Structure formats: structure tokens, C-alpha cells
Amino acid sequence: MTEETKKQVMQYVYKLADHYEIPNSGLVSFKKRNLLLELINTKNTTAFKFINELIDAVVQLDRIENDKEKQTKKPEHWAAETLKAKTLVTKANEKLINFFKSEAISTEGLSLDIK
């Protein structure tokens, strides 16, 4: 996964942490996000569910895109899996954005560039 994608995903996590008044959240990296996610879970399980769904979808897409063996041996299958994973990321992102709006959490500065 690119550093840019990790930063983009973490922006969502930071927004939730800020909204739920979790201190020092901006210091947490993508790799060490689990503690921060658990703190979000203690504040709002729905927020945790939606952010976790987005992270899982992004990680799944990254794994599929980096599966060079499948990409080479079965390009049509790889292309179908990639499209399906991108759709999951898009849907998870939409759910999270709708949750942000319902909770009056600013979505300014949030973007997830999935190519």
C-alpha cells in the first residue's frame, strides 16, 4: 500500500478520534492504528464498524492489486477481483461519509483516491 493511501485512510481515523476527543491521535501511524481504533470503538461502535470496513476494503484491494502471480497467470480473473475490491472500497467510503454527515463530522479534507 502506498504511503499516500495510508495517509488518506488515517485522515478518516483522525477525524473520528478528534470528534470523540481522543488525545494525541495525530501521532498514530497506519501501522499502529489498532489501539486508536479500539478507543474509537469504546466511544461509538458504529463509527468503529464503518472505519474498520473501509480499512479492510482498502487492504483487500491492495493485496489483490499486488498479486503479480494471479495478474500474470489469470488476468481476466485478476481484473474481475480488482473491480470487485474497488467497488467494496467505494461502498465502504460512501457509508463512512454518510455516517460522518449524520454525526455532523466535517468531511473537509477527506478523499480516497482509488484508481
Side-chain angles (χ1 to χ4, degrees), residues 1-9 30 58 62 65-66 113 115:
M1 182 178 311
T2 67
E3 288 302 314
E4 185 60 29
T5 302
K6 290 176 186 176
K7 287 178 186 176
Q8 290 172 351
V9 170
F30 184 82
V58 169
D62 183 64
E65 288 181 330
N66 289 312
D113 297 327
K115 296 169 180 85

Side-chain angles (χ1 to χ4, degrees), residues 34-102:
N34 287 334
L35 178 60
L36 186 52
L37 290 172
E38 287 302 320
L39 291 171
I40 290 170
N41 192 24
T42 64
K43 301 285 185 171
N44 186 315
T45 57
T46 304
F48 173 79
K49 177 185 130 193
F50 286 134
I51 191 63
N52 221 32
E53 187 177 326
L54 178 65
I55 292 169
D56 288 346
V58 169
V59 168
Q60 179 182 0
L61 175 61
D62 183 64
R63 287 183 180 150
I64 290 169
E65 288 181 330
N66 289 312
D67 188 342
K68 301 301 179 196
E69 185 177 337
K70 190 177 287 179
Q71 189 174 359
T72 306
K73 289 183 178 180
K74 295 183 179 180
E76 65 286 341
H77 183 67
W78 177 83
E81 281 190 28
T82 302
L83 181 60
K84 183 179 174 184
K86 285 180 179 182
T87 302
L88 287 175
V89 171
T90 300
K91 287 181 180 180
N93 188 43
E94 288 172 359
K95 287 180 188 177
L96 187 57
I97 292 296
N98 287 335
F99 174 78
F100 274 45
K101 290 177 181 176
S102 73

Side-chain angles (χ1 to χ4, degrees), residues 14-35:
Y14 298 148
K15 285 273 189 179
L16 287 170
D18 185 51
H19 181 75
Y20 296 116
E21 300 175 347
I22 299 170
N24 302 317
S25 61
L27 303 174
V28 178
S29 68
F30 184 82
K31 189 174 186 176
K32 298 184 178 189
R33 69 190 179 277
N34 287 334
L35 178 60

